[in-house]
Amino acid sequence: MMWLFLATACLTCGTLNAGGFLDLENEVNPEVWMNTSEIINYNGYPSEEYDVTTEDGYILSINRIPYGRRHFGNTGPRPVVYMQHALFADTAYWLENYANGSLGFILADAGYDVWMGNSRGNTWSRRHKTLSANEEKFWAFSFDEMAKYDLPGIIDFIVNKTGQEKLYFIGHSLGTTIGFVAFSTMPELAQRIKMNFALGPVISFKYPTSIFTSFFLLPSSIIKAMFGTKGFFLEDKNEKIPSTKICNNKVLWILCSEFMSLWAGSNKKNMNVSRMDVYMSHAPTGSSIQNILHIKQLYRSDEFRAYDWGSEAENMHHYNESRPPLYDLTAMKVPTAIWAGGHDSLVTPQDVARILPQIRNLRYFRLLQDWNHFDFVWGLDAPQRVYSKIIALMKELL
């Protein structure tokens, strides 16, 4: 949808060269063409990359920044932090601003061992021990499975690799959903989390105001007819979408900015427009149609449940219950800090207010009145207004 919008606008709003063709040959940021490991190295940090195989056979790529630039030569044990990206993103999500404005680099420079995971089905985690990504069975997952298999598998790997029994968890958007599901249903996993940092948490999805959420009003049958039953918005890691050049064009970048405001809320003054092509080049990384349908089930709902397979028989097969089980956030004991944006049109303050009473160990909450959904990762003032507080709260638990 986004790329169709940008391409259409490109035909009507661009500048034409002497031959009558749109000129998009502006200089592109080199990070547009880099994967996460290359971005880390490009910024002068050490990078490690690993594969993690989940209990149900998915092979996930994860990235690590073991220490910051100021810590070269001092490679002793450091407190571990794990970061989980949003829908349609990847591990580069935490590194797309300059080093002094990206949470991944800031944490590394603050003395943390930084790990970042790719959710199953995205560009870098589209492998399985026995299944091909061309098979429908490969795509039979939602954030349920990301919480049940991906997160425990990755945390086990990190614990074994580092020797650190406990770590900090940071999630944004759907990354927070994965954390909340996992920590409320798996007490043994929850015991390994020192603190859960939730940025723009997606639990209640009843009051979004983004115009694009009207997509969820379509019947599931229509969504499947339009997009199939496998992957959704899949990226080819060997190519970059046309919007990358559109968003770098001196005239057309405003189209990208306007689209992002319609999608996630307006706060244009808080974004580095010179990095727009970098932001757009690392999305969409793809997910499953089933994951989209699970989010659709949350839309306008009063309940936070596991995926509804569409019939009592199928639900009985998966859950031994005729209805999908409720996720009980009151069962989660992990210390939790939450930030929300007042201009966030995806996760509105009304939705956040619905979940706060359910968080029994809420250590910190702040509503940033002028922030939208993307400010948590791309906001120019994020280091001062959020990241510094995250580090302060971490240090209190050392």
PDB file of all heavy atoms in Angstrom, residues 49-63 82 84 117-122 124-128 138 145-146 149-154:
ATOM      1  N   GLU A  49      27.033 -12.080  14.475  1.00  0.00           N
ATOM      2  CA  GLU A  49      25.760 -12.546  13.939  1.00  0.00           C
ATOM      3  C   GLU A  49      25.648 -14.042  14.162  1.00  0.00           C
ATOM      4  O   GLU A  49      26.623 -14.787  13.971  1.00  0.00           O
ATOM      5  CB  GLU A  49      25.649 -12.218  12.448  1.00  0.00           C
ATOM      6  CG  GLU A  49      24.298 -12.536  11.833  1.00  0.00           C
ATOM      7  CD  GLU A  49      24.165 -12.041  10.407  1.00  0.00           C
ATOM      8  OE1 GLU A  49      25.077 -11.331   9.928  1.00  0.00           O
ATOM      9  OE2 GLU A  49      23.152 -12.367   9.757  1.00  0.00           O
ATOM     10  N   TYR A  50      24.474 -14.505  14.589  1.00  0.00           N
ATOM     11  CA  TYR A  50      24.274 -15.915  14.898  1.00  0.00           C
ATOM     12  C   TYR A  50      22.942 -16.388  14.335  1.00  0.00           C
ATOM     13  O   TYR A  50      22.034 -15.591  14.085  1.00  0.00           O
ATOM     14  CB  TYR A  50      24.271 -16.140  16.418  1.00  0.00           C
ATOM     15  CG  TYR A  50      25.539 -15.711  17.118  1.00  0.00           C
ATOM     16  CD1 TYR A  50      25.624 -14.451  17.707  1.00  0.00           C
ATOM     17  CD2 TYR A  50      26.636 -16.559  17.200  1.00  0.00           C
ATOM     18  CE1 TYR A  50      26.776 -14.042  18.364  1.00  0.00           C
ATOM     19  CE2 TYR A  50      27.789 -16.165  17.857  1.00  0.00           C
ATOM     20  CZ  TYR A  50      27.864 -14.906  18.431  1.00  0.00           C
ATOM     21  OH  TYR A  50      29.008 -14.499  19.075  1.00  0.00           O
ATOM     22  N   ASP A  51      22.826 -17.693  14.177  1.00  0.00           N
ATOM     23  CA  ASP A  51      21.559 -18.337  13.850  1.00  0.00           C
ATOM     24  C   ASP A  51      21.049 -19.065  15.079  1.00  0.00           C
ATOM     25  O   ASP A  51      21.809 -19.742  15.777  1.00  0.00           O
ATOM     26  CB  ASP A  51      21.727 -19.341  12.711  1.00  0.00           C
ATOM     27  CG  ASP A  51      21.889 -18.681  11.353  1.00  0.00           C
ATOM     28  OD1 ASP A  51      21.526 -17.498  11.232  1.00  0.00           O
ATOM     29  OD2 ASP A  51      22.380 -19.339  10.427  1.00  0.00           O
ATOM     30  N   VAL A  52      19.765 -18.931  15.350  1.00  0.00           N
ATOM     31  CA  VAL A  52      19.106 -19.617  16.455  1.00  0.00           C
ATOM     32  C   VAL A  52      17.984 -20.468  15.869  1.00  0.00           C
ATOM     33  O   VAL A  52      17.144 -19.967  15.119  1.00  0.00           O
ATOM     34  CB  VAL A  52      18.514 -18.618  17.477  1.00  0.00           C
ATOM     35  CG1 VAL A  52      17.698 -19.354  18.531  1.00  0.00           C
ATOM     36  CG2 VAL A  52      19.626 -17.809  18.125  1.00  0.00           C
ATOM     37  N   THR A  53      17.979 -21.758  16.195  1.00  0.00           N
ATOM     38  CA  THR A  53      16.928 -22.654  15.731  1.00  0.00           C
ATOM     39  C   THR A  53      15.916 -22.849  16.846  1.00  0.00           C
ATOM     40  O   THR A  53      16.261 -23.252  17.957  1.00  0.00           O
ATOM     41  CB  THR A  53      17.504 -24.011  15.301  1.00  0.00           C
ATOM     42  OG1 THR A  53      18.471 -23.810  14.263  1.00  0.00           O
ATOM     43  CG2 THR A  53      16.398 -24.917  14.760  1.00  0.00           C
ATOM     44  N   THR A  54      14.663 -22.543  16.554  1.00  0.00           N
ATOM     45  CA  THR A  54      13.614 -22.635  17.568  1.00  0.00           C
ATOM     46  C   THR A  54      13.171 -24.084  17.744  1.00  0.00           C
ATOM     47  O   THR A  54      13.475 -24.963  16.925  1.00  0.00           O
ATOM     48  CB  THR A  54      12.402 -21.786  17.169  1.00  0.00           C
ATOM     49  OG1 THR A  54      11.799 -22.352  15.989  1.00  0.00           O
ATOM     50  CG2 THR A  54      12.814 -20.351  16.889  1.00  0.00           C
ATOM     51  N   GLU A  55      12.403 -24.309  18.794  1.00  0.00           N
ATOM     52  CA  GLU A  55      11.906 -25.655  19.085  1.00  0.00           C
ATOM     53  C   GLU A  55      11.056 -26.202  17.949  1.00  0.00           C
ATOM     54  O   GLU A  55      11.032 -27.416  17.710  1.00  0.00           O
ATOM     55  CB  GLU A  55      11.094 -25.623  20.386  1.00  0.00           C
ATOM     56  CG  GLU A  55      10.606 -26.970  20.860  1.00  0.00           C
ATOM     57  CD  GLU A  55       9.788 -26.876  22.133  1.00  0.00           C
ATOM     58  OE1 GLU A  55       9.980 -25.917  22.907  1.00  0.00           O
ATOM     59  OE2 GLU A  55       8.935 -27.766  22.355  1.00  0.00           O
ATOM     60  N   ASP A  56      10.363 -25.315  17.221  1.00  0.00           N
ATOM     61  CA  ASP A  56       9.530 -25.777  16.111  1.00  0.00           C
ATOM     62  C   ASP A  56      10.225 -25.626  14.761  1.00  0.00           C
ATOM     63  O   ASP A  56       9.576 -25.683  13.713  1.00  0.00           O
ATOM     64  CB  ASP A  56       8.172 -25.085  16.105  1.00  0.00           C
ATOM     65  CG  ASP A  56       8.258 -23.567  15.980  1.00  0.00           C
ATOM     66  OD1 ASP A  56       9.351 -23.013  16.213  1.00  0.00           O
ATOM     67  OD2 ASP A  56       7.235 -22.927  15.647  1.00  0.00           O
ATOM     68  N   GLY A  57      11.544 -25.434  14.767  1.00  0.00           N
ATOM     69  CA  GLY A  57      12.324 -25.584  13.543  1.00  0.00           C
ATOM     70  C   GLY A  57      12.635 -24.345  12.740  1.00  0.00           C
ATOM     71  O   GLY A  57      13.313 -24.431  11.707  1.00  0.00           O
ATOM     72  N   TYR A  58      12.204 -23.160  13.169  1.00  0.00           N
ATOM     73  CA  TYR A  58      12.520 -21.936  12.433  1.00  0.00           C
ATOM     74  C   TYR A  58      13.943 -21.499  12.755  1.00  0.00           C
ATOM     75  O   TYR A  58      14.406 -21.614  13.902  1.00  0.00           O
ATOM     76  CB  TYR A  58      11.525 -20.828  12.774  1.00  0.00           C
ATOM     77  CG  TYR A  58      10.175 -21.052  12.140  1.00  0.00           C
ATOM     78  CD1 TYR A  58       9.262 -21.935  12.721  1.00  0.00           C
ATOM     79  CD2 TYR A  58       9.817 -20.415  10.958  1.00  0.00           C
ATOM     80  CE1 TYR A  58       8.026 -22.171  12.139  1.00  0.00           C
ATOM     81  CE2 TYR A  58       8.586 -20.643  10.370  1.00  0.00           C
ATOM     82  CZ  TYR A  58       7.694 -21.532  10.958  1.00  0.00           C
ATOM     83  OH  TYR A  58       6.472 -21.770  10.365  1.00  0.00           O
ATOM     84  N   ILE A  59      14.639 -20.999  11.748  1.00  0.00           N
ATOM     85  CA  ILE A  59      16.024 -20.567  11.908  1.00  0.00           C
ATOM     86  C   ILE A  59      16.046 -19.046  11.868  1.00  0.00           C
ATOM     87  O   ILE A  59      15.752 -18.429  10.841  1.00  0.00           O
ATOM     88  CB  ILE A  59      16.924 -21.160  10.813  1.00  0.00           C
ATOM     89  CG1 ILE A  59      16.853 -22.695  10.853  1.00  0.00           C
ATOM     90  CG2 ILE A  59      18.370 -20.691  10.995  1.00  0.00           C
ATOM     91  CD1 ILE A  59      17.517 -23.382   9.671  1.00  0.00           C
ATOM     92  N   LEU A  60      16.375 -18.440  12.999  1.00  0.00           N
ATOM     93  CA  LEU A  60      16.309 -16.992  13.164  1.00  0.00           C
ATOM     94  C   LEU A  60      17.708 -16.394  13.172  1.00  0.00           C
ATOM     95  O   LEU A  60      18.615 -16.916  13.820  1.00  0.00           O
ATOM     96  CB  LEU A  60      15.618 -16.640  14.485  1.00  0.00           C
ATOM     97  CG  LEU A  60      14.314 -17.376  14.807  1.00  0.00           C
ATOM     98  CD1 LEU A  60      13.820 -16.977  16.195  1.00  0.00           C
ATOM     99  CD2 LEU A  60      13.248 -17.095  13.753  1.00  0.00           C
ATOM    100  N   SER A  61      17.874 -15.293  12.467  1.00  0.00           N
ATOM    101  CA  SER A  61      19.136 -14.563  12.483  1.00  0.00           C
ATOM    102  C   SER A  61      19.079 -13.499  13.580  1.00  0.00           C
ATOM    103  O   SER A  61      18.105 -12.756  13.673  1.00  0.00           O
ATOM    104  CB  SER A  61      19.379 -13.901  11.122  1.00  0.00           C
ATOM    105  OG  SER A  61      20.529 -13.087  11.154  1.00  0.00           O
ATOM    106  N   ILE A  62      20.121 -13.444  14.419  1.00  0.00           N
ATOM    107  CA  ILE A  62      20.179 -12.427  15.469  1.00  0.00           C
ATOM    108  C   ILE A  62      21.530 -11.716  15.392  1.00  0.00           C
ATOM    109  O   ILE A  62      22.507 -12.263  14.880  1.00  0.00           O
ATOM    110  CB  ILE A  62      19.952 -13.014  16.878  1.00  0.00           C
ATOM    111  CG1 ILE A  62      21.082 -13.980  17.259  1.00  0.00           C
ATOM    112  CG2 ILE A  62      18.610 -13.717  16.955  1.00  0.00           C
ATOM    113  CD1 ILE A  62      20.974 -14.475  18.699  1.00  0.00           C
ATOM    114  N   ASN A  63      21.549 -10.478  15.878  1.00  0.00           N
ATOM    115  CA  ASN A  63      22.751  -9.644  15.827  1.00  0.00           C
ATOM    116  C   ASN A  63      23.171  -9.212  17.220  1.00  0.00           C
ATOM    117  O   ASN A  63      22.342  -9.077  18.116  1.00  0.00           O
ATOM    118  CB  ASN A  63      22.517  -8.409  14.959  1.00  0.00           C
ATOM    119  CG  ASN A  63      22.269  -8.750  13.508  1.00  0.00           C
ATOM    120  OD1 ASN A  63      21.133  -8.925  13.095  1.00  0.00           O
ATOM    121  ND2 ASN A  63      23.322  -8.852  12.727  1.00  0.00           N
ATOM    122  N   TYR A  82      18.316  -7.315  25.450  1.00  0.00           N
ATOM    123  CA  TYR A  82      17.784  -7.873  24.209  1.00  0.00           C
ATOM    124  C   TYR A  82      16.673  -6.968  23.687  1.00  0.00           C
ATOM    125  O   TYR A  82      15.799  -6.534  24.443  1.00  0.00           O
ATOM    126  CB  TYR A  82      17.236  -9.286  24.414  1.00  0.00           C
ATOM    127  CG  TYR A  82      16.539  -9.806  23.175  1.00  0.00           C
ATOM    128  CD1 TYR A  82      17.285 -10.168  22.058  1.00  0.00           C
ATOM    129  CD2 TYR A  82      15.152  -9.897  23.102  1.00  0.00           C
ATOM    130  CE1 TYR A  82      16.660 -10.604  20.901  1.00  0.00           C
ATOM    131  CE2 TYR A  82      14.518 -10.331  21.957  1.00  0.00           C
ATOM    132  CZ  TYR A  82      15.284 -10.684  20.859  1.00  0.00           C
ATOM    133  OH  TYR A  82      14.664 -11.110  19.705  1.00  0.00           O
ATOM    134  N   GLN A  84      13.609  -6.284  20.723  1.00  0.00           N
ATOM    135  CA  GLN A  84      12.692  -6.927  19.783  1.00  0.00           C
ATOM    136  C   GLN A  84      11.966  -5.875  18.943  1.00  0.00           C
ATOM    137  O   GLN A  84      11.290  -5.012  19.465  1.00  0.00           O
ATOM    138  CB  GLN A  84      11.673  -7.776  20.530  1.00  0.00           C
ATOM    139  CG  GLN A  84      10.756  -8.572  19.625  1.00  0.00           C
ATOM    140  CD  GLN A  84      11.516  -9.581  18.778  1.00  0.00           C
ATOM    141  OE1 GLN A  84      12.249 -10.413  19.298  1.00  0.00           O
ATOM    142  NE2 GLN A  84      11.370  -9.488  17.460  1.00  0.00           N
ATOM    143  N   GLY A 117      17.040  -9.349  17.833  1.00  0.00           N
ATOM    144  CA  GLY A 117      16.537 -10.521  17.137  1.00  0.00           C
ATOM    145  C   GLY A 117      15.623 -10.191  15.978  1.00  0.00           C
ATOM    146  O   GLY A 117      14.925  -9.174  15.987  1.00  0.00           O
ATOM    147  N   ASN A 118      15.634 -11.063  14.977  1.00  0.00           N
ATOM    148  CA  ASN A 118      14.717 -10.971  13.835  1.00  0.00           C
ATOM    149  C   ASN A 118      13.578 -11.961  14.017  1.00  0.00           C
ATOM    150  O   ASN A 118      13.808 -13.161  14.226  1.00  0.00           O
ATOM    151  CB  ASN A 118      15.453 -11.294  12.529  1.00  0.00           C
ATOM    152  CG  ASN A 118      16.355 -10.180  12.069  1.00  0.00           C
ATOM    153  OD1 ASN A 118      15.895  -9.092  11.741  1.00  0.00           O
ATOM    154  ND2 ASN A 118      17.656 -10.434  12.047  1.00  0.00           N
ATOM    155  N   SER A 119      12.340 -11.492  13.938  1.00  0.00           N
ATOM    156  CA  SER A 119      11.187 -12.371  14.069  1.00  0.00           C
ATOM    157  C   SER A 119      11.060 -13.303  12.874  1.00  0.00           C
ATOM    158  O   SER A 119      11.454 -12.956  11.749  1.00  0.00           O
ATOM    159  CB  SER A 119       9.907 -11.537  14.195  1.00  0.00           C
ATOM    160  OG  SER A 119       9.902 -10.776  15.373  1.00  0.00           O
ATOM    161  N   ARG A 120      10.513 -14.473  13.120  1.00  0.00           N
ATOM    162  CA  ARG A 120      10.295 -15.440  12.032  1.00  0.00           C
ATOM    163  C   ARG A 120       9.490 -14.802  10.896  1.00  0.00           C
ATOM    164  O   ARG A 120       8.564 -14.025  11.123  1.00  0.00           O
ATOM    165  CB  ARG A 120       9.570 -16.686  12.551  1.00  0.00           C
ATOM    166  CG  ARG A 120       8.179 -16.437  13.084  1.00  0.00           C
ATOM    167  CD  ARG A 120       7.506 -17.727  13.531  1.00  0.00           C
ATOM    168  NE  ARG A 120       8.223 -18.375  14.612  1.00  0.00           N
ATOM    169  CZ  ARG A 120       8.025 -19.632  15.000  1.00  0.00           C
ATOM    170  NH1 ARG A 120       7.118 -20.377  14.385  1.00  0.00           N
ATOM    171  NH2 ARG A 120       8.713 -20.155  15.997  1.00  0.00           N
ATOM    172  N   GLY A 121       9.886 -15.143   9.676  1.00  0.00           N
ATOM    173  CA  GLY A 121       9.175 -14.661   8.496  1.00  0.00           C
ATOM    174  C   GLY A 121       9.701 -13.371   7.921  1.00  0.00           C
ATOM    175  O   GLY A 121       9.361 -13.017   6.792  1.00  0.00           O
ATOM    176  N   ASN A 122      10.547 -12.622   8.693  1.00  0.00           N
ATOM    177  CA  ASN A 122      11.083 -11.400   8.092  1.00  0.00           C
ATOM    178  C   ASN A 122      12.236 -11.763   7.158  1.00  0.00           C
ATOM    179  O   ASN A 122      12.622 -12.930   7.022  1.00  0.00           O
ATOM    180  CB  ASN A 122      11.423 -10.348   9.154  1.00  0.00           C
ATOM    181  CG  ASN A 122      12.823 -10.459   9.746  1.00  0.00           C
ATOM    182  OD1 ASN A 122      13.562 -11.422   9.501  1.00  0.00           O
ATOM    183  ND2 ASN A 122      13.201  -9.490  10.544  1.00  0.00           N
ATOM    184  N   TRP A 124      15.357 -11.784   7.161  1.00  0.00           N
ATOM    185  CA  TRP A 124      16.556 -12.471   7.635  1.00  0.00           C
ATOM    186  C   TRP A 124      16.243 -13.733   8.442  1.00  0.00           C
ATOM    187  O   TRP A 124      17.163 -14.409   8.899  1.00  0.00           O
ATOM    188  CB  TRP A 124      17.390 -11.507   8.478  1.00  0.00           C
ATOM    189  CG  TRP A 124      17.557 -10.194   7.781  1.00  0.00           C
ATOM    190  CD1 TRP A 124      16.887  -9.031   8.027  1.00  0.00           C
ATOM    191  CD2 TRP A 124      18.417  -9.921   6.662  1.00  0.00           C
ATOM    192  NE1 TRP A 124      17.275  -8.042   7.146  1.00  0.00           N
ATOM    193  CE2 TRP A 124      18.215  -8.565   6.293  1.00  0.00           C
ATOM    194  CE3 TRP A 124      19.332 -10.679   5.943  1.00  0.00           C
ATOM    195  CZ2 TRP A 124      18.896  -7.961   5.245  1.00  0.00           C
ATOM    196  CZ3 TRP A 124      20.016 -10.089   4.891  1.00  0.00           C
ATOM    197  CH2 TRP A 124      19.790  -8.747   4.558  1.00  0.00           C
ATOM    198  N   SER A 125      14.977 -14.044   8.616  1.00  0.00           N
ATOM    199  CA  SER A 125      14.588 -15.242   9.378  1.00  0.00           C
ATOM    200  C   SER A 125      13.513 -16.007   8.612  1.00  0.00           C
ATOM    201  O   SER A 125      12.442 -16.312   9.124  1.00  0.00           O
ATOM    202  CB  SER A 125      14.072 -14.849  10.773  1.00  0.00           C
ATOM    203  OG  SER A 125      15.114 -14.312  11.549  1.00  0.00           O
ATOM    204  N   ARG A 126      13.823 -16.315   7.364  1.00  0.00           N
ATOM    205  CA  ARG A 126      12.863 -16.976   6.488  1.00  0.00           C
ATOM    206  C   ARG A 126      13.369 -18.358   6.106  1.00  0.00           C
ATOM    207  O   ARG A 126      13.285 -18.798   4.953  1.00  0.00           O
ATOM    208  CB  ARG A 126      12.621 -16.105   5.254  1.00  0.00           C
ATOM    209  CG  ARG A 126      11.234 -16.281   4.633  1.00  0.00           C
ATOM    210  CD  ARG A 126      10.990 -15.227   3.578  1.00  0.00           C
ATOM    211  NE  ARG A 126      10.838 -13.889   4.163  1.00  0.00           N
ATOM    212  CZ  ARG A 126      10.962 -12.763   3.475  1.00  0.00           C
ATOM    213  NH1 ARG A 126      11.246 -12.807   2.174  1.00  0.00           N
ATOM    214  NH2 ARG A 126      10.800 -11.600   4.088  1.00  0.00           N
ATOM    215  N   ARG A 127      13.885 -19.066   7.121  1.00  0.00           N
ATOM    216  CA  ARG A 127      14.406 -20.419   6.912  1.00  0.00           C
ATOM    217  C   ARG A 127      13.823 -21.361   7.963  1.00  0.00           C
ATOM    218  O   ARG A 127      13.409 -20.939   9.034  1.00  0.00           O
ATOM    219  CB  ARG A 127      15.928 -20.433   6.999  1.00  0.00           C
ATOM    220  CG  ARG A 127      16.635 -19.668   5.876  1.00  0.00           C
ATOM    221  CD  ARG A 127      18.135 -19.611   6.117  1.00  0.00           C
ATOM    222  NE  ARG A 127      18.454 -18.783   7.281  1.00  0.00           N
ATOM    223  CZ  ARG A 127      19.557 -18.916   8.014  1.00  0.00           C
ATOM    224  NH1 ARG A 127      20.425 -19.879   7.733  1.00  0.00           N
ATOM    225  NH2 ARG A 127      19.775 -18.111   9.035  1.00  0.00           N
ATOM    226  N   HIS A 128      13.823 -22.652   7.627  1.00  0.00           N
ATOM    227  CA  HIS A 128      13.281 -23.667   8.524  1.00  0.00           C
ATOM    228  C   HIS A 128      14.049 -24.966   8.299  1.00  0.00           C
ATOM    229  O   HIS A 128      14.569 -25.205   7.197  1.00  0.00           O
ATOM    230  CB  HIS A 128      11.784 -23.865   8.243  1.00  0.00           C
ATOM    231  CG  HIS A 128      11.056 -24.670   9.261  1.00  0.00           C
ATOM    232  ND1 HIS A 128      11.074 -26.048   9.278  1.00  0.00           N
ATOM    233  CD2 HIS A 128      10.271 -24.289  10.306  1.00  0.00           C
ATOM    234  CE1 HIS A 128      10.343 -26.483  10.289  1.00  0.00           C
ATOM    235  NE2 HIS A 128       9.839 -25.432  10.923  1.00  0.00           N
ATOM    236  N   PHE A 138       4.697 -23.221   6.306  1.00  0.00           N
ATOM    237  CA  PHE A 138       5.765 -22.388   6.865  1.00  0.00           C
ATOM    238  C   PHE A 138       5.189 -21.124   7.480  1.00  0.00           C
ATOM    239  O   PHE A 138       5.687 -20.624   8.489  1.00  0.00           O
ATOM    240  CB  PHE A 138       6.766 -22.023   5.754  1.00  0.00           C
ATOM    241  CG  PHE A 138       7.858 -21.076   6.192  1.00  0.00           C
ATOM    242  CD1 PHE A 138       9.071 -21.555   6.655  1.00  0.00           C
ATOM    243  CD2 PHE A 138       7.673 -19.689   6.145  1.00  0.00           C
ATOM    244  CE1 PHE A 138      10.088 -20.686   7.058  1.00  0.00           C
ATOM    245  CE2 PHE A 138       8.668 -18.816   6.554  1.00  0.00           C
ATOM    246  CZ  PHE A 138       9.879 -19.320   7.000  1.00  0.00           C
ATOM    247  N   GLU A 145       3.327 -17.613  18.171  1.00  0.00           N
ATOM    248  CA  GLU A 145       4.508 -18.475  18.021  1.00  0.00           C
ATOM    249  C   GLU A 145       5.806 -17.699  18.257  1.00  0.00           C
ATOM    250  O   GLU A 145       6.795 -18.271  18.735  1.00  0.00           O
ATOM    251  CB  GLU A 145       4.517 -19.113  16.634  1.00  0.00           C
ATOM    252  CG  GLU A 145       3.523 -20.244  16.442  1.00  0.00           C
ATOM    253  CD  GLU A 145       2.077 -19.773  16.354  1.00  0.00           C
ATOM    254  OE1 GLU A 145       1.846 -18.596  15.978  1.00  0.00           O
ATOM    255  OE2 GLU A 145       1.173 -20.578  16.654  1.00  0.00           O
ATOM    256  N   MET A 146       5.806 -16.412  17.915  1.00  0.00           N
ATOM    257  CA  MET A 146       6.995 -15.603  18.194  1.00  0.00           C
ATOM    258  C   MET A 146       7.251 -15.532  19.703  1.00  0.00           C
ATOM    259  O   MET A 146       8.407 -15.514  20.148  1.00  0.00           O
ATOM    260  CB  MET A 146       6.813 -14.204  17.620  1.00  0.00           C
ATOM    261  CG  MET A 146       6.681 -14.169  16.103  1.00  0.00           C
ATOM    262  SD  MET A 146       6.309 -12.494  15.507  1.00  0.00           S
ATOM    263  CE  MET A 146       5.859 -12.841  13.806  1.00  0.00           C
ATOM    264  N   TYR A 149       7.937 -19.587  20.919  1.00  0.00           N
ATOM    265  CA  TYR A 149       9.134 -20.275  20.441  1.00  0.00           C
ATOM    266  C   TYR A 149      10.325 -19.348  20.184  1.00  0.00           C
ATOM    267  O   TYR A 149      11.445 -19.636  20.612  1.00  0.00           O
ATOM    268  CB  TYR A 149       8.822 -21.041  19.145  1.00  0.00           C
ATOM    269  CG  TYR A 149       7.764 -22.104  19.297  1.00  0.00           C
ATOM    270  CD1 TYR A 149       6.516 -21.967  18.686  1.00  0.00           C
ATOM    271  CD2 TYR A 149       8.010 -23.255  20.045  1.00  0.00           C
ATOM    272  CE1 TYR A 149       5.537 -22.940  18.810  1.00  0.00           C
ATOM    273  CE2 TYR A 149       7.041 -24.244  20.179  1.00  0.00           C
ATOM    274  CZ  TYR A 149       5.802 -24.080  19.567  1.00  0.00           C
ATOM    275  OH  TYR A 149       4.838 -25.050  19.706  1.00  0.00           O
ATOM    276  N   ASP A 150      10.086 -18.228  19.466  1.00  0.00           N
ATOM    277  CA  ASP A 150      11.208 -17.367  19.073  1.00  0.00           C
ATOM    278  C   ASP A 150      11.905 -16.758  20.286  1.00  0.00           C
ATOM    279  O   ASP A 150      13.128 -16.869  20.440  1.00  0.00           O
ATOM    280  CB  ASP A 150      10.728 -16.244  18.145  1.00  0.00           C
ATOM    281  CG  ASP A 150      10.233 -16.745  16.800  1.00  0.00           C
ATOM    282  OD1 ASP A 150      10.169 -17.975  16.617  1.00  0.00           O
ATOM    283  OD2 ASP A 150       9.901 -15.915  15.947  1.00  0.00           O
ATOM    284  N   LEU A 151      11.140 -16.091  21.135  1.00  0.00           N
ATOM    285  CA  LEU A 151      11.750 -15.384  22.261  1.00  0.00           C
ATOM    286  C   LEU A 151      12.440 -16.330  23.237  1.00  0.00           C
ATOM    287  O   LEU A 151      13.602 -16.079  23.621  1.00  0.00           O
ATOM    288  CB  LEU A 151      10.702 -14.519  22.964  1.00  0.00           C
ATOM    289  CG  LEU A 151      11.241 -13.559  24.030  1.00  0.00           C
ATOM    290  CD1 LEU A 151      12.312 -12.641  23.451  1.00  0.00           C
ATOM    291  CD2 LEU A 151      10.099 -12.724  24.620  1.00  0.00           C
ATOM    292  N   PRO A 152      11.815 -17.441  23.662  1.00  0.00           N
ATOM    293  CA  PRO A 152      12.541 -18.366  24.543  1.00  0.00           C
ATOM    294  C   PRO A 152      13.796 -18.938  23.905  1.00  0.00           C
ATOM    295  O   PRO A 152      14.832 -19.082  24.570  1.00  0.00           O
ATOM    296  CB  PRO A 152      11.512 -19.465  24.824  1.00  0.00           C
ATOM    297  CG  PRO A 152      10.192 -18.833  24.582  1.00  0.00           C
ATOM    298  CD  PRO A 152      10.412 -17.845  23.472  1.00  0.00           C
ATOM    299  N   GLY A 153      13.712 -19.273  22.605  1.00  0.00           N
ATOM    300  CA  GLY A 153      14.883 -19.822  21.927  1.00  0.00           C
ATOM    301  C   GLY A 153      16.037 -18.833  21.885  1.00  0.00           C
ATOM    302  O   GLY A 153      17.190 -19.194  22.121  1.00  0.00           O
ATOM    303  N   ILE A 154      15.725 -17.573  21.592  1.00  0.00           N
ATOM    304  CA  ILE A 154      16.766 -16.549  21.518  1.00  0.00           C
ATOM    305  C   ILE A 154      17.342 -16.266  22.902  1.00  0.00           C
ATOM    306  O   ILE A 154      18.566 -16.167  23.076  1.00  0.00           O
ATOM    307  CB  ILE A 154      16.201 -15.264  20.881  1.00  0.00           C
ATOM    308  CG1 ILE A 154      15.929 -15.482  19.392  1.00  0.00           C
ATOM    309  CG2 ILE A 154      17.174 -14.094  21.071  1.00  0.00           C
ATOM    310  CD1 ILE A 154      15.182 -14.342  18.728  1.00  0.00           C
TER     311      ILE A 154
END
